[in-house]
Amino acid sequence: MVSVLPPAMILLVTMNDNSTPMTSDSSLVSAGAMGLLRDCVGGQPGERLLIVEEPQGVGYYDDEVPHMTAAAGRAMGMKVYATEVPAGLSSPDELAAFVDTLRGFEHVVFFARVGDQLRFTETSDMPPSTMCYTLNREMLDSAFGTACYQGLCEVKSFIDDAFAAASEVRVICPRGTDYIGQLDHSGNPPADVSLKRFPMLVPRPVPARGFAGRVVLSRFLVGTGSNFYEPYTLTLDEDVHAIVEGNRLVRFEGIESEVARVNAHYVDIAKRYDIDPWYVHSWHAGIHPACEFSADARRDLLRWSGSSFGNPRLLHFHTCGDYAPGEISWNVVDPTIYLDGTAVWENGYLHAERLPGGAGLFDAHPRLRELYRVPVRNIGI
């Protein structure tokens, strides 16, 4: 077991007697990092910012984005600290112990996958925290990292409201997915993440309990970031169809050998964590038109699964475990999602202007309107 207590908190800025940064030339600072701290985190001069990063050389994040964010914090007059944490913590006790170390900061920014492990955690002990999906400096300062954060939050809010109000929601895809239902309001409302996301990537998860149908699984299965295990992925040689009724995965259909491999993978992962393998919890599709994965997904599925899901070409399900995000993700490529007959997503394009009341959604965000007009389509598959 890897001990994370106590982490080495390193003060990354020397303050003068007036508690102002000794270097504050914001013109030299990353635009993406400034947007992260200003528009998403809401940092203010004098506040204590903790940047959580993975050890150098791990290869998931590059080593520059935490330093770029630290420089932005210094330029804003924040007191910037940093700590390293292993890529994944293996038990609830380790996660709880780590959260205990975060007290005393006004803001925590994660460039570390442990933030994903905490994203559905309800804890009053954790300071306001942000999970970052900009894995390298190119992503941070691209249209992905610099897109209007507030505008994307407004898109998310419109989508959340539209799903809640819809009498019928239907999901189809070119490979044969046909999944239909509506939000079941008889139980608790669907949980959203407790950490902020940067950039804003997905709407609130849609609970599966009001839906049924066929979901076509293609290319591969991959973990959700809730835990990290081996094998984290399962390559599919042929499509497998998941038959779903509410929260239950009724069966897999397809070539017998492929179905057997998928069933075995589910049973294996469920045994490791003592969870229900056949539970389908929820799903949602990406909303960020500039979310891109330029490499071949099959060569780097771990990084792909942790960054590309925000593209509107991808809809993913949370399965294997009666909690979000579960342990195994299904990825549906180029979905069409109808809300009361209107295709809000159409073949992987998000038409936010088709949402109820969405005609003027981008009036205050013209750059965002242009991103949706010509979205990024490269997602590595």
Side-chain angles (χ1 to χ4, degrees):
M1 180 176 294
V2 178
S3 174
V4 298
L5 292 175
M9 303 295 182
I10 304 172
L11 182 63
L12 295 182
V13 59
T14 301
M15 312 298 290
N16 63 22
D17 291 340
N18 296 320
S19 294
T20 57
M22 297 181 69
T23 301
S24 58
D25 185 357
S26 60
S27 67
L28 302 178
V29 174
S30 155
M34 287 294 288
L36 160 64
L37 295 181
R38 181 187 61 239
D39 303 330
C40 177
V41 172
Q44 298 294 323
E47 291 183 329
R48 290 160 56 91
L49 167 68
L50 176 63
I51 296 174
V52 181
E53 56 187 301
E54 297 183 359
Q56 290 194 3
V58 168
Y60 189 84
Y61 289 90
D62 74 8
D63 296 333
E64 294 183 82
V65 286
H67 301 156
M68 294 164 69
T69 303
R74 292 195 295 268
M76 293 174 61
M78 303 181 77
K79 300 176 181 178
V80 183
Y81 293 74
T83 189
E84 287 187 356
V85 66
L89 300 180
S90 59
S91 73
D93 288 343
E94 284 190 338
L95 287 169
F98 174 71
V99 169
D100 284 343
T101 71
L102 306 180
R103 296 174 183 172
F105 295 93
E106 278 75 36
H107 306 283
V108 180
V109 171
F110 287 94
F111 291 102
R113 282 165 282 177
V114 68
D116 254 348
Q117 292 183 280
L118 294 168
R119 69 188 186 274
F120 285 100
T121 300
E122 291 295 336
T123 173
S124 58
D125 296 331
M126 192 161 63
S129 301
T130 300
M131 177 62 194
C132 294
Y133 296 95
T134 49
L135 304 187
N136 55 43
R137 71 176 300 139
E138 290 78 18
M139 293 174 74
L140 183 60
D141 277 341
S142 71
F144 178 58
T146 60
C148 176
Y149 179 78
Q150 185 55 47
L152 285 165
C153 288
E154 290 178 20
V155 171
K156 175 192 181 299
S157 180
F158 268 80
I159 291 172
D160 289 345
D161 291 345
F163 272 105
S167 298
E168 181 182 270
V169 178
R170 185 184 181 194
V171 178
I172 63 173
C173 83
R175 299 181 92 104
T177 293
D178 198 350
Y179 182 71
I180 191 169
Q182 68 178 101
L183 266 72
D184 181 345
H185 300 287
S186 62
N188 294 326
D192 211 339
V193 291
S194 55
L195 278 71
K196 293 181 181 179
R197 288 187 175 101
F198 181 84
M200 179 56 69
L201 298 177
V202 286
R204 184 187 299 271
V206 179
R209 63 177 176 264
F211 289 78
R214 177 182 303 271
V215 181
V216 178
L217 317 182
S218 63
R219 300 175 178 87
F220 43 76
L221 302 178
V222 66
T224 64
S226 175
N227 288 288
F228 297 99
Y229 48 80
E230 290 293 339
Y232 194 67
T233 64
L234 179 70
T235 299
L236 301 177
D237 296 326
E238 301 287 344
D239 289 355
V240 173
H241 294 208
I243 308 304
V244 183
E245 293 180 5
N247 293 119
R248 303 310 300 168
L249 171 54
V250 178
R251 64 185 178 276
F252 292 115
E253 294 181 348
I255 294 176
E256 184 176 352
S257 59
E258 286 293 271
V259 169
R261 291 175 62 237
V262 172
N263 275 319
H265 184 62
Y266 266 77
V267 170
D268 175 34
I269 301 307
K271 283 183 177 179
R272 299 188 199 192
Y273 300 106
D274 192 23
I275 55 179
D276 181 353
W278 315 123
Y279 198 93
V280 180
H281 186 277
S282 53
W283 57 274
H284 46 188
I287 67 171
H288 198 310
C291 182
E292 180 175 17
F293 194 84
S294 58
D296 183 342
R298 288 178 183 264
R299 294 183 179 179
D300 201 350
L301 278 174
L302 188 63
R303 295 180 83 243
W304 179 89
S305 67
S307 62
S308 63
F309 65 91
N311 189 293
R313 292 192 63 195
L314 286 172
L315 177 155
H316 69 272
F317 280 76
H318 307 137
T319 80
C320 193
D322 61 351
Y323 53 87
E327 298 299 336
I328 299 175
S329 175
W330 300 341
N331 290 278
V332 176
V333 181
D334 291 335
T336 295
I337 306 175
Y338 296 99
L339 301 184
D340 291 331
T342 298
V344 177
W345 280 258
E346 188 170 10
N347 294 319
Y349 289 90
L350 173 56
H351 297 278
E353 74 280 359
R354 298 178 183 175
L355 292 163
L361 185 58
F362 299 125
D363 288 351
H365 313 292
R367 287 183 60 245
L368 198 56
R369 184 198 303 274
E370 183 63 16
L371 286 179
Y372 277 100
R373 190 183 73 82
V374 189
V376 168
R377 300 289 286 175
N378 185 9
I379 56 171
I381 55 178

